[in-house]
Amino acid sequence: MTSALQITGGVPLEGTIEVRGAKNFVPKAMVAALLGSTPSVLQNVPEIKDVKVVTDLVALHGVEVNNDGQGALTLDPSNVTRARYADIDAHAGDSRIPILLCGPLLHTLGEAFIPDLGGCKIGDRPINYHLDVLRNFGAKVEKLESGIKMSAPNGLHGAKVELPYPSVGATEQVLLSATRARGRTELRGAATEPEIMNLIAVLQKMGAIITVQTDRVIHIEGVEELKGYNHRAMCDRIEAASWGSAALVTGGSIFVKGATQSDMMTFLNVFRKTGGDLDIRDDGIQFSHPGGSLNPLVVETDVHPGFMTDWQQPLVVALTQADGVSIVHETVYENRFGFTRALKGMGANIQLHRDCLGSTPCRFGQSNFVHSAIISGRTPLKAKDIHVPDLRGGFSHLIAALGAEGRSKVTGVELIQRGYERFTSKLEALGANFDVVDA
Ligand code: EPU
């Protein structure tokens, strides 16, 4: 993978690209394969770093993984085994996936290990909900110098769990732990993102009994055995929306093959409110700049069915090109506006605030977190050398450079590869003007 891109901005991105399986679903489905007694087949798998990390991690635990090179992964969990802590640590990289391996490993081996976890630096990203969930199911949690050791010599049992916040990861933790636990589980305060519904679909194919009720309540009846699944991963709705914002920022028109309307309704409404043109088809969505001016917006990020926090950063770049004042209130992560510093350096007019500048006060309102932004547009963007801070912030820097006048050097682009499959080939297909250079 390249380490720097020299981008000459000002060229509208135009053409067709394809987006494959979701970064925030595929790794979880790969982990679910460990719960089966027979091999699973997962299709539409993208070539991104997170898939490679999870492949290495499950392989370390004895899962035989076969990639056909066309996007189909076969995962055979017949010989799941213990792995050395140092190896888990070395292979986990920045990934938070080891925490989700705990339930399946506790069922099969009676123990699991979590090294110090990484992931994008977008707030504290604690794992307290996960640890509480696992304790509820009967796991013993022991802090070691190198990480956290879990054990459940007598297996896991069903439990009543109430999450303080509808966390995506903690909901997945419950699903992956409860399906093979003894007895029933009731989860209150569950997250209901499409990625979670897709994971439930996978688990149901495997033989699980999971009922999703109203008001964020999920019931799971534990079963003794699950078999393998065959499933096509849902499209990455974060990547799809990111390209939609790229079309707005560069004044272009991008057909995103694979983009699925039902998973993106909230984004599509916001896109249309900015004045963007949409053509929603069965095989994908065309996102186009209208050609005139864009409208400013008031947007709050939220859990599903709200506006995703991961849609926020590329949209903020588009809002620098809208005529008027936009307000964005981030309510999912306390620290997700760091990327705006580089945008300000490129000429954007963005003010950050500690107050909740939305209609609903959020968890961060009484704390000292800078989690609201006022964006005044329209401000032409000027080229700047930028170092990518995290995945979504990095993609937004990339599209800012593509929309800016002049030549920018963007370093640290490997981070973008964590979640955007072959993005340089896609940029080429869309007519972007860039060169791959030494960092
Ligand atoms: N939280 C806690 N304690 C926990 C877990 C979460 O306080 O034990 C808090 C977090 O700090 C955050 C909130 O709960 O403020 C929501 O976090 P959540 O658990 O929902 O996030 P996650 O499961 O760690 C996934 C995605 C994120 C995405 C969020 C929200 C994956 C691998 N990651 O993270 O994706 O932003 O859900 O939708 O699925 C990305 O793709 O760039 C990304 C960061």
Side-chain angles (χ1 to χ4, degrees):
M1 180 66 215
T2 56
S3 45
L5 297 183
Q6 190 125 275
I7 296 173
T8 305
V11 180
L13 295 185
E14 283 181 351
T16 296
I17 49 156
E18 181 171 359
V19 172
R20 299 205 286 176
K23 162 192 161 282
N24 290 349
F25 164 73
V26 167
K28 293 40 171 317
M30 290 173 70
V31 171
L34 264 81
L35 290 165
S37 54
T38 54
S40 292
V41 180
L42 184 60
Q43 295 168 51
N44 203 27
V45 174
E47 280 173 34
I48 52 172
K49 188 171 163 227
D50 276 21
V51 169
K52 166 88 177 78
V53 169
V54 185
T55 299
D56 289 351
L57 275 174
V58 297
L60 261 188
H61 288 94
V63 177
E64 206 181 301
V65 187
N66 190 0
N67 189 334
D68 75 349
Q70 311 288 313
L73 279 189
T74 305
L75 301 113
D76 184 349
S78 313
N79 296 307
V80 171
T81 176
R82 290 177 173 74
R84 288 178 42 215
Y85 294 171
D87 290 341
I88 300 175
D89 195 10
H91 284 80
D94 297 338
S95 168
R96 287 168 62 81
I97 288 297
I99 182 91
L100 289 180
L101 278 168
C102 288
L105 289 177
L106 286 169
H107 281 304
T108 313
L109 304 173
E111 64 174 58
F113 173 75
I114 314 167
D116 276 341
L117 295 174
C120 284
K121 302 287 177 281
I122 49 177
D124 268 355
R125 301 202 74 181
I127 58 168
N128 53 327
Y129 301 166
H130 292 259
L131 298 182
D132 287 348
V133 163
L134 288 160
R135 283 192 191 100
N136 264 313
F137 282 107
K140 204 175 126 212
V141 176
E142 205 181 320
K143 295 220 160 93
L144 307 179
E145 214 169 277
S146 52
I148 297 170
K149 184 183 160 197
M150 306 261 169
S151 54
N154 303 318
L156 300 179
H157 54 74
K160 284 198 171 210
V161 179
E162 177 144 19
L163 295 178
Y165 183 79
S167 151
V168 169
T171 300
E172 292 161 343
Q173 184 72 262
V174 171
L175 293 169
L176 291 165
S177 302
T179 40
R180 263 179 57 190
R182 285 190 313 277
R184 302 192 60 171
T185 291
E186 180 181 273
L187 169 62
R188 294 189 165 270
T192 58
E193 269 65 5
E195 289 77 7
I196 286 172
M197 293 304 140
N198 242 255
L199 181 62
I200 291 176
V202 161
L203 292 167
Q204 188 178 52
K205 283 178 176 174
M206 297 177 81
I209 304 171
I210 302 172
T211 317
V212 181
Q213 304 189 326
T214 48
D215 299 330
R216 300 193 178 278
V217 178
I218 297 180
H219 283 128
I220 302 142
E221 291 177 36
V223 295
E224 263 183 33
E225 198 182 328
L226 296 173
K227 57 184 171 46
Y229 64 81
N230 189 327
H231 190 81
R232 184 177 167 80
M234 64 178 280
C235 169
D236 195 310
R237 65 198 177 112
I238 304 175
E239 183 182 352
S242 301
W243 290 113
S245 291
L248 288 183
V249 171
T250 63
S253 180
I254 303 178
F255 182 65
V256 181
K257 199 163 164 233
T260 311
Q261 178 186 18
S262 54
D263 295 336
M264 297 184 68
M265 291 204 149
T266 308
F267 180 81
L268 299 178
N269 287 336
V270 167
F271 188 90
R272 195 163 262 158
K273 284 207 279 187
T274 62
D277 280 338
L278 289 172
D279 182 12
I280 303 168
R281 304 187 213 154
D282 286 346
D283 60 339
I285 301 176
Q286 180 99 32
F287 296 92
S288 308
H289 190 286
S293 55
L294 298 177
N295 308 317
L297 287 177
V298 177
V299 183
E300 277 182 284
T301 65
D302 207 345
V303 293
H304 189 73
F307 189 89
M308 288 187 90
T309 170
D310 306 292
W311 289 333
Q312 180 254 105
Q313 302 80 350
L315 182 80
V316 164
V317 186
L319 293 177
T320 65
Q321 301 309 299
D323 287 322
V325 176
S326 296
I327 295 175
V328 179
H329 180 205
E330 168 62 56
T331 77
V332 179
Y333 289 110
E334 70 274 25
N335 181 20
R336 224 178 181 184
F337 280 120
F339 73 100
T340 57
R341 202 171 308 117
L343 298 183
K344 283 161 84 170
M346 297 175 84
N349 184 344
I350 301 175
Q351 291 166 1
L352 300 182
H353 293 268
R354 289 189 164 75
D355 306 285
C356 295
L357 297 183
S359 55
T360 335
C362 75
R363 298 173 292 153
F364 310 131
Q366 298 310 315
S367 350
N368 222 7
F369 297 119
V370 170
H371 70 293
S372 294
I374 299 180
I375 303 135
S376 309
R378 167 185 192 183
T379 47
L381 296 174
K382 294 185 298 287
K384 185 180 186 302
D385 290 351
I386 310 168
H387 188 74
V388 163
D390 63 59
L391 176 62
R392 308 296 168 198
F395 190 86
S396 44
H397 290 165
L398 194 73
I399 62 176
L402 288 160
E405 238 172 72
R407 191 190 281 178
S408 308
K409 184 171 176 185
V410 184
T411 49
V413 286
E414 310 82 42
L415 262 183
I416 300 177
Q417 178 69 7
R418 274 192 56 197
Y420 293 86
E421 183 182 34
R422 297 193 208 132
F423 72 91
T424 48
S425 311
K426 290 178 185 169
L427 288 177
E428 253 165 42
L430 296 171
N433 186 352
F434 70 96
D435 290 307
V436 175
V437 293
D438 287 340

